Amino acid sequence: MAITEIRPAGLGSARGRIWKSLHGSPLGLAGGAMLVVVVLVAVLAPLIAPYSPSEVHFATPFQKPGTVGFLLGTDDLGRDIFSRMVYGVRASLEVGALCVLLSVVIGTPLGLLAGYWRWLDAAVSRLTDVTLAFPFLIIAVGLAAISGPSLANAAIALGIAHIPTMIRVVRGETLRIKESDFVLGAQTMDASGLRIIFTHVLPNAASAIIVQATVIMPVAVIGEALLSFLGLGIQPPTPSLGIMLSDAQQYIFRSPTAAIFPGIGIALICLAFNLFGDALRDAFDPTSSSRK
Amino acid sequence: MQQDADITVTATNGSDRRRSNPAGRSGHGDAGDPLLQVRNLEVRFGDGDPVLHQVSFDLQRGERVAIVGQSGSGKSTTIGAILRLLPGNGRISGGSILLGGKDLATASDGEMRGIRGKKIGLVPQDPMSNLNPSMKVGAQIADALAANGMRNRSAIRKRAVELLTEAGIPDAGRRYGQYPHEFSGGMRQRVLIAIALAGSPDLLIADEPTSALDVTVQRQILNHLQTLVDAHGTSLLFITHDLGLAADRTDRIIVMAEGRIVEVGTPRQILLDPQEEYTRRLVAAAPSAVAALDTDPGRVLEPAAVTATAGPEDILVVRNLVKEFALRGQRGGTVKAVNDVSFAVQRGTTTAVVGESGSGKTTVARIILGLEQATGGEALIDGRSITGSNGAQRRMLRRKVQPVFQDPYGSLDPTYSIERLIDEPLRIFKVGNRASRQQRVAQLLDAVALPRTVAQRRPNELSGGQRQRVAIARALALEPELLICDEAVSALDVLVQDQILELLADLQQRLGLTYLFITHDLAVVRQIATNVVVMKSGSVVEAGSVDKVFLAPDADYTKELLGAIPGAAFAR
């Protein structure tokens, strides 16, 4: 809003403003709704899935979608694609959430410290440069070689890959906030550096961190699919959208739906996060807020 | 009426402005054919209530008219409507805007593109952000010329250099190929003027063209703009918040408030004989006008008495202060931001440090606050330096000196409630318990005349003036003896500015505070300070009592500064 002097009273609180902005964005609401559905599916997987994801029906392989009993058909071993997808979404979100958690927990403090204290900045920045120089696939291969491929290792590899971007975002925000008058004011009150970082810088950087998390999440979901596809992530028979794609690849001409549905699943999860993240960023954006 | 205005102004203020050629004006002045006729203009945002109500005014050919108002008065919305560049979902919901007989309110977007630039030129407010930083200055003017239908490249270049020269840029041929960052703020504003004049418009709209510039630069730019406008016979619509500036520069002043025109008149009528209550308040609050009109020496002598009773003890001593900054990219190269500055501040008085941007005044304040380490010399509070002491002693010194910053939007953490903002220093110094802190916050809110109910609000729910009151309350929380006000009222509208200055004066009297007032605004100095230190390029040019410096300045620079105060013409 450009003319904010006429802003009605009561819309002043940041939370109210963000809420209102989200309300005004139909795409963001759609993304949010999809997100709720995806999360519910993941949480309630055992209740939703009609079969166990690894339950094999040798009598009925390659069923078409819509077959009685198998909503989305079956794969080469006669496993129910719908059930496997429900559990696959769960695995994707688990890896995504772990990866985001890792990058936030490690990236945020490092970014705050590097942004606030110049002498730490060089060290942390070199560290992020080194990490960025490693393709995350190499890290994943290395981890898989050391302790075997698993969901946790996939999440760690993806997490390490995303820590540098989180550090950079938080560092940038810190550099900006550090220059504001309210931080100067706190310094003149003899507030310690750590106190300023945690009581002033962090709350003001929170929106950027949240937005960055919604950016990392879909990338991590795709990364998990990729690693599982390559056999570096989740191991069969545990279902994962990536493994389903990899399994379906051999029979892609005989039964394309076995590959199409997991593909759509990945796309929808990413779309949901991206739409919601975009709306969130607009809502937090200081230029669209009522500053003056 | 227009004729009257001209005559009056000529008679009373015949110095500087009459030198420019008035031929264009007297030729068309009251030909009964105004260039711009705004009638009953009404603007709404979305489906809300109108923000402009029945705005009507005329602008003759060659006439200079100022629209004066505070932020939110609708002056920017008015020009937004004339240019048909209203932000967001703004729209003209009534009335007409006739420019040379053509109604802009109903013109199509395509027609407007032909009018902007060719018929109406705009000089925007901020020279820093209105030039493309990645494009050569000359190319940006050439762009404006090409948009106006010039096709021959060498002719465009020639004309662009001409325009630059006309706008007062020396060595324009070489400057043509430079980027905006190689220009100073004043030079950039000249470039913007050149761009605005590129299409030889009939009407030039200047939206606070100099509010981002120093006073001496402001005067040069406006003198030049005026000469150009007069030479071309262009009409000027001058938007400003500064009544003194408007009075100096225009033939007629339109005062706006809350989307309505409050009063219209010649500068002399508005400043010396305002009819409306609002205008009267505005004139009384306008620091430049006050300073200019108030030649009674008794008033300024009054604060000196306070000094005497407070005793001769110096609370702040700045001695041979030097601050060097390393130049980026030049090994060992340094620039002296502060060069051998010395002054002392007596307890209970107000000392103003005046200077333009780059004079080092803010660096001095930061060193006193202990935010910067001095390269040489010392800043002593009660005989001790903040940066030179540590632990308990530093904490004790920090309690004695607190800052109030310029921008009340930046100095309050937006994520905090007002209560938490004000009691933050108490929590840092572990003063009292929860209940006693709450009580103290209530006291402080009373002291700065804010209702206690704001305690649970957040800064973005308050106006600029209210926020500055919160900032003052926070600075007072630790019962400091010295307040460093760094441009503390510069970001505020004049009426609000006046209230805050009054509050500061009142607090000084009640609590015996000492102020160090960092400002670029000499008029504010006159209003609040007892002593003044004039700085230029890191050095003290002149120091002394306000009376002495204002009435009998020694340094040429001080004289220049004083001469640049807008509205001074109406002093005598």
Side-chain angles (χ1 to χ4, degrees), chain B residues 313-551:
Chain B
E313 186 195 353
D314 289 340
I315 183 168
L316 172 72
V317 178
V318 175
R319 208 176 286 149
N320 306 107
L321 204 61
V322 177
K323 175 70 188 176
E324 289 178 350
F325 287 106
L327 278 178
R328 197 175 289 216
Q330 286 177 36
R331 190 175 288 262
T334 55
V335 57
K336 273 192 180 160
V338 176
N339 188 6
D340 196 19
V341 167
S342 305
F343 61 90
V345 176
Q346 281 180 11
R347 197 177 291 279
T349 65
T350 299
T351 299
V353 179
V354 190
E356 306 196 303
S357 51
S359 61
K361 57 192 196 300
T362 294
T363 311
V364 170
R366 290 178 59 117
I367 292 172
I368 297 168
L369 285 165
L371 294 169
E372 301 267 5
Q373 189 82 43
T375 314
E378 50 193 2
L380 304 177
I381 298 153
D382 274 350
R384 294 198 184 91
S385 145
I386 286 191
T387 47
S389 37
N390 45 27
Q393 201 173 65
R394 190 184 62 200
R395 286 172 79 85
M396 191 199 72
L397 283 175
R398 287 226 152 124
R399 286 188 74 153
K400 281 192 185 173
V401 46
Q402 283 288 305
V404 178
F405 292 113
Q406 169 173 17
D407 179 10
Y409 293 88
S411 59
L412 304 177
D413 188 332
T415 62
Y416 277 36
S417 69
I418 302 304
E419 176 165 31
R420 226 179 128 206
L421 280 167
I422 297 178
D423 82 354
E424 189 188 10
L426 299 175
R427 279 182 287 119
I428 291 174
F429 282 90
K430 302 197 174 64
V431 178
N433 55 22
R434 235 184 111 88
S436 76
R437 284 201 294 260
Q438 232 164 29
Q439 217 180 347
R440 178 85 179 119
V441 169
Q443 271 176 15
L444 287 164
L445 285 174
D446 290 347
V448 296
L450 280 176
R452 291 185 178 192
T453 47
V454 303
Q456 298 313 321
R457 302 246 196 150
R458 276 172 211 281
N460 64 346
E461 295 174 72
L462 304 184
S463 70
Q466 287 172 324
R467 287 181 200 218
Q468 201 59 298
R469 284 172 193 267
V470 172
I472 292 170
R474 180 177 59 174
L476 294 177
L478 292 169
E479 298 173 347
E481 292 163 38
L482 174 63
L483 279 196
I484 313 266
C485 304
D486 188 357
E487 301 274 10
V489 295
S490 311
L492 305 172
D493 284 328
V494 275
L495 286 181
V496 182
Q497 184 175 333
D498 200 42
Q499 291 163 2
I500 297 288
L501 288 174
E502 233 164 69
L503 171 71
L504 286 172
D506 177 50
L507 287 171
Q508 181 167 46
Q509 214 154 44
R510 277 195 289 151
L511 307 174
L513 293 169
T514 312
Y515 295 138
L516 185 66
F517 218 87
I518 314 288
T519 183
H520 68 276
D521 194 339
L522 280 164
V524 169
V525 174
R526 183 85 191 244
Q527 209 170 340
I528 189 161
T530 355
N531 296 306
V532 59
V533 176
V534 182
M535 282 187 72
K536 189 194 180 194
S537 322
S539 307
V540 175
V541 176
E542 186 162 5
S545 78
V546 167
D547 287 340
K548 192 204 152 278
V549 173
F550 270 64
L551 298 177

Side-chain angles (χ1 to χ4, degrees), chain B residues 50 99 135 158 214 311 421:
Chain B
L99 180 77
M135 199 171 162
K158 195 163 154 261
D214 287 327
L421 280 167

Side-chain angles (χ1 to χ4, degrees), chain B residues 39-237:
Chain B
R39 285 287 170 273
N40 304 326
L41 182 64
E42 194 181 84
V43 170
R44 288 169 204 261
F45 284 87
D47 297 321
D49 292 329
V51 294
L52 280 190
H53 309 267
Q54 308 293 319
V55 169
S56 302
F57 62 90
D58 285 352
L59 182 60
Q60 308 293 333
R61 284 179 197 280
E63 191 187 16
R64 295 190 299 257
V65 170
I67 301 184
V68 180
Q70 309 199 40
S71 51
S73 62
K75 55 192 197 299
S76 294
T77 308
T78 306
I79 62 160
I82 294 172
L83 288 162
R84 285 275 305 280
L85 291 173
L86 287 167
N89 55 0
R91 63 194 170 85
I92 297 169
S93 57
S96 62
I97 303 164
L98 294 174
L99 180 77
K102 167 108 192 113
D103 189 359
L104 303 185
T106 55
S108 71
D109 286 350
E111 286 173 314
M112 280 314 295
R113 272 196 291 280
I115 289 169
R116 290 183 213 119
K118 287 197 196 72
K119 301 254 191 244
I120 309 178
L122 173 71
V123 181
Q125 173 167 14
D126 183 3
M128 301 301 158
S129 63
N130 279 304
L131 286 170
N132 183 343
S134 63
M135 199 171 162
K136 286 175 182 165
V137 163
Q140 302 194 42
I141 299 174
D143 223 25
L145 289 169
N148 282 316
M150 269 179 91
R151 286 291 168 262
N152 183 331
R153 290 185 65 172
S154 61
I156 287 182
R157 194 195 151 95
K158 195 163 154 261
R159 178 79 186 119
V161 173
E162 238 172 68
L163 280 167
L164 278 175
T165 314
E166 217 173 55
I169 291 187
D171 199 5
R174 190 176 60 82
R175 288 293 206 160
Y176 182 92
Q178 288 187 330
Y179 287 95
H181 71 261
E182 297 171 79
F183 284 64
S184 68
M187 297 281 260
R188 286 186 224 196
Q189 196 55 278
R190 287 174 193 267
V191 173
L192 287 169
I193 291 172
I195 291 176
L197 290 174
S200 317
D202 302 329
L203 168 63
L204 192 67
I205 298 181
D207 184 4
E208 304 257 11
T210 53
S211 57
L213 304 173
D214 287 327
V215 271
T216 51
V217 182
Q218 165 174 303
R219 185 163 68 158
Q220 289 166 14
I221 297 274
L222 291 181
N223 281 345
H224 200 82
L225 181 67
Q226 210 166 317
T227 320
L228 280 179
V229 166
D230 285 346
H232 289 264
T234 313
S235 309
L236 179 69
L237 193 56

Side-chain angles (χ1 to χ4, degrees), chain A residues 64-122:
Chain A
K64 294 229 165 338
T67 316
V68 178
F70 303 105
L71 186 59
L72 299 179
T74 57
D75 65 3
D76 56 321
L77 297 176
R79 291 174 296 193
D80 181 35
I81 291 179
F82 179 68
S83 304
R84 285 181 67 73
M85 271 188 65
V86 168
Y87 279 91
V89 168
R90 184 181 227 188
S92 292
L93 290 194
E94 271 172 16
V95 172
L98 270 175
C99 166
V100 166
L101 193 71
L102 203 65
S103 55
V104 170
V105 167
I106 298 181
T108 304
L110 282 179
L112 288 172
L113 299 180
Y116 197 79
W117 282 299
R118 286 201 87 141
W119 54 271
L120 254 173
D121 191 21

Side-chain angles (χ1 to χ4, degrees), chain A residues 128-224:
Chain A
T128 59
D129 288 348
V130 169
T131 320
L132 276 177
F134 278 104
F136 85 99
L137 264 179
I138 305 234
I139 299 174
V141 171
L143 275 174
I146 294 165
S147 53
S150 70
L151 185 147
N153 280 346
I156 292 172
L158 289 164
I160 290 174
H162 285 115
I163 288 172
T165 53
M166 187 54 99
I167 290 180
R168 291 195 168 176
V169 167
V170 178
R171 175 178 169 273
E173 281 293 292
T174 309
L175 285 176
R176 180 181 66 80
I177 297 163
K178 188 173 79 166
E179 293 304 316
S180 40
D181 284 347
F182 60 80
V183 169
L184 277 186
Q187 283 170 353
T188 64
M189 296 167 204
D190 217 41
S192 70
L194 279 180
R195 186 192 174 98
I196 291 174
I197 287 177
F198 285 105
T199 61
H200 287 295
V201 180
L202 186 58
N204 281 289
S207 62
I209 296 171
I210 293 170
V211 169
Q212 184 61 21
T214 66
V215 173
I216 291 178
M217 187 76 181
V219 182
V221 167
I222 294 179
E224 181 275 327

